[in-house]
Each structure stands twice: as C-alpha cells, then as structure tokens.
Amino acid sequence: MDNRTIVLTGVTSGFGRESVELLIRERPQDHYVVLTRRGGERLAAELAEATGASGITDVDCDLASLAATRRAVKEILRGLDSGHLPPLGGYLGNAGLTVTTTQQRTTDGYEMTFGVNVLSHYLLVRELLPRFTGPGWIVLTSSDCHFGQFRYTLGATPAPRWETPERLAAPRSGGAREAGRAYATSKLGVIYLTHALARRLPESVGVYSYNPALVAGTDFFRHVPGPVRGVLNGFFRLQRFLGRGMTPGQAGARLTETILTGLTTRTGSYLDRGRNVPSSPESYDEAREEELWREAARLVDADRQAGRADILTE
C-alpha cells in the first residue's frame, strides 16, 4: 500500500516546518493532514507551492482544548471513512510548548504544559489508533532534558519530577523554574506514552520517541515574555556555536531522514537525532507507563468509548 495519510502536528514553523517540506518532496504520493491552531489554510497553500504536491489538507486543532482536538479527530475519521483520505500510515506528534508558570491552564483547566505536551497527543493517537495500517509509524517528539542531567541541559532546565498524572495535570503555583521542570517532566511522560503504545500497536506499526536536541532559531519560546525569550534564544544560539545544537534546517533534515530510513529499530525505542540509544533509567517504568495510559484516558474522558479495542492485532 503505497499512498498513505500522514497526520502532522507542530509543523507550522521551525524544524517541524523544515521536516515536513522535505518529507513531502520525498513522498509526494502520500496525503498530509496538518493540524494547526490557526493559519492552517495558508500553511497548506505554502507547502503545496513549495513542494508541488496537491495532497495537503489543513485541519483546525487547538491542542489546548480537548473538544477542539476531538473535532479534529472526527474530521480526519470522516476523510478516512469517505475515501477522501488514503489509509492512515503515519503520525508526527511534534507540537509542544513551554510556558513561564505552572498556573497557566488549558481550556479544560489542566496545567498547560502537561495538557498540551502529553494529554493532547494521547487523545489524538488514542482516537486514531484503530485506524493505523501497516507498515506504519508514530513519532512523538521528546527531549534529552528528561534525563535531568547537567550535560544535557547545562542547568537551563530543572530535572523532571514525576508524580501521579492527576497531580501533574493540576495547575499549581510556580514560576519559570517550576515551569521548566514541568516541561522536562512532560517529555518524560512522552516516553512513557511511547512505551505504553508499543504494547498496544500491531507489529506492523512502530512507535518511537524522538529527541531533536538543541535547535536554535525556532519560535519555540513564543509563549514567554520578550526579554525572557531573548535570553533563551541566545542560550540556544550559544549551544550551536559550541557544537551542541543545530539549525532548524539541519534538525528538520535529520528528522525526515529518520522517518524515511531510520524507523527500523525495535518499536518503543528512543531515537536521539535518529540514533537508537537508551533513554534515562527513570523512563523505563511499566507501572508508571500503564498508570499514565489509564489516567490519561480518565482525564480526557476517552474511556467513555469503552467498546473500542484497546489492543490491536494484525
């Protein structure tokens, strides 16, 4: 089955945008569904103009709203059911954010970082999960800050602190440092989701967490105040100068290469810029993984569809 539907988040700008352009050029026969909070029609038109491909569809999706995320899923499912979209074969969960306070809330009242970086991707993948057909792939963007070690973050991000999903989803008092810890913790949660998914997908569909490392020159910090954003972007540029970072173009090319040729390792693996390496020792915890899967279902109310199969077979 050669032409597939590929669902994409986090490709509006930065290395995600660079990656999707390259991906479309390499596989123009696929149909790409780009989920964006705003400007999706313009993005789809720009991608079509840049690549010459016609199979690009934009779907409105605010990942900070579970209702909006569900509407996006329903639109994708209608396209698959009607035959407008070819069978689902790929999902890139690249969207993510960092904020400056753990008091900021999603539309549903959850702590913003955990709500967007973990719960939204859980809901999207969980609702699309029965439609994946092999050979297929799911890539969820994580970060090496989940190690919580100075050699990965140079002290810029506090180490993650895992708690129950209910507590992690709860807004709480805390400034920039605690918001940074929430970001690192959310990226640990992405790896837990990856491992939980690996136990639920058929062998013909692989799932991977992907670490792009430090990427300078992106708008990743668009949600933080201007002065703080300047300092953070300066830090990223310094890391690139020191040989620890990449430009968006370099990072996008590495991600595309990984999707096209590097998803041959064992499902559930952690890919550091395409290399299969161990994630942190803390990230291998089946009890936490299953608790997150179970509690995420409760938090997003996805378990109301109890009749849907939880484990797929060939």
Side-chain angles (χ1 to χ4, degrees):
M1 190 180 298
D2 197 42
N3 82 317
R4 319 297 298 281
T5 290
I6 310 298
V7 177
L8 307 154
T9 75
V11 298
T12 306
S13 59
F15 81 93
R17 171 66 176 269
E18 299 282 349
S19 177
V20 71
E21 283 197 22
L22 291 171
L23 188 61
I24 294 172
R25 291 181 193 277
E26 291 295 323
R27 287 194 57 87
Q29 69 270 34
D30 288 335
H31 194 113
Y32 297 88
V33 178
V34 292
L35 305 186
T36 61
R37 187 163 60 93
R38 58 176 177 265
E41 186 175 349
R42 183 178 69 253
L43 173 62
E46 290 173 355
L47 289 172
E49 182 178 0
T51 63
S54 59
I56 304 170
T57 300
D58 66 282
V59 173
D60 290 336
C61 182
D62 181 359
L63 295 178
S65 165
L66 295 175
T69 302
R70 284 197 182 91
R71 286 194 295 270
V73 171
K74 288 180 180 178
E75 187 168 342
I76 296 169
L77 294 179
R78 281 196 296 268
L80 293 169
D81 290 339
S82 68
H84 174 68
L85 296 176
L88 180 61
Y91 175 87
L92 172 60
N94 185 56
L97 55 72
T98 182
V99 293
T100 57
T101 171
T102 50
Q103 297 182 69
Q104 191 166 342
R105 300 167 181 259
T106 67
T107 301
D108 305 278
Y110 295 130
E111 192 277 319
M112 181 67 76
T113 305
F114 189 79
V116 171
N117 295 2
V118 179
L119 294 181
S120 68
H121 287 297
Y122 165 83
L123 180 58
L124 277 166
V125 175
R126 177 65 181 79
E127 296 298 298
L128 292 173
L129 194 148
R131 300 304 187 93
F132 277 94
T133 58
W137 53 269
I138 297 170
V139 172
L140 302 176
T141 299
S142 185
S143 169
D144 53 15
C145 70
H146 86 276
F147 282 92
Q149 297 177 3
F150 182 84
R151 67 190 181 103
Y152 293 107
T153 67
L154 300 186
T157 305
R161 181 186 296 140
W162 192 258
E163 300 181 77
T164 65
E166 183 176 21
R167 288 179 63 86
L168 293 173
R172 52 202 178 273
S173 61
R177 182 168 178 80
E178 283 308 304
R181 189 184 305 281
Y183 176 76
T185 304
S186 75
K187 292 306 182 179
L188 177 61
V190 166
I191 298 175
Y192 287 153
L193 282 184
T194 300
H195 294 164
L197 269 168
R199 290 190 286 272
R200 288 165 166 80
L201 287 163
E203 291 183 4
S204 58
V205 181
V207 58
Y208 309 89
S209 54
Y210 182 85
N211 170 42
L214 292 167
V215 184
T218 72
D219 66 348
F220 180 72
F221 298 110
R222 61 190 179 278
H223 297 285
V224 304
V228 179
R229 184 166 61 246
V231 171
L232 292 171
N233 282 328
F235 171 79
F236 269 51
R237 286 193 292 272
L238 174 63
Q239 301 317 302
R240 181 174 169 241
F241 176 77
L242 296 174
R244 288 176 45 83
M246 291 185 288
T247 66
Q250 291 169 331
R254 187 70 59 84
L255 174 56
T256 299
E257 180 184 6
T258 300
I259 290 172
L260 293 174
T261 66
L263 302 181
T264 57
T265 188
R266 181 175 60 85
T267 184
S269 295
Y270 173 75
L271 304 178
D272 179 3
R273 290 158 286 184
R275 298 179 297 112
N276 178 19
V277 300
S279 49
S280 70
E282 185 182 9
S283 69
Y284 299 94
D285 189 321
E286 187 169 338
R288 286 183 178 180
E289 294 157 11
E290 291 302 309
E291 179 188 39
L292 176 58
W293 186 267
R294 182 177 63 252
E295 289 301 298
R298 184 181 63 80
L299 289 167
V300 305
D301 198 26
D303 56 350
R304 57 196 169 90
Q305 300 181 16
R308 179 166 295 182
D310 190 50
I311 299 178
L312 301 187
T313 58
E314 294 286 351

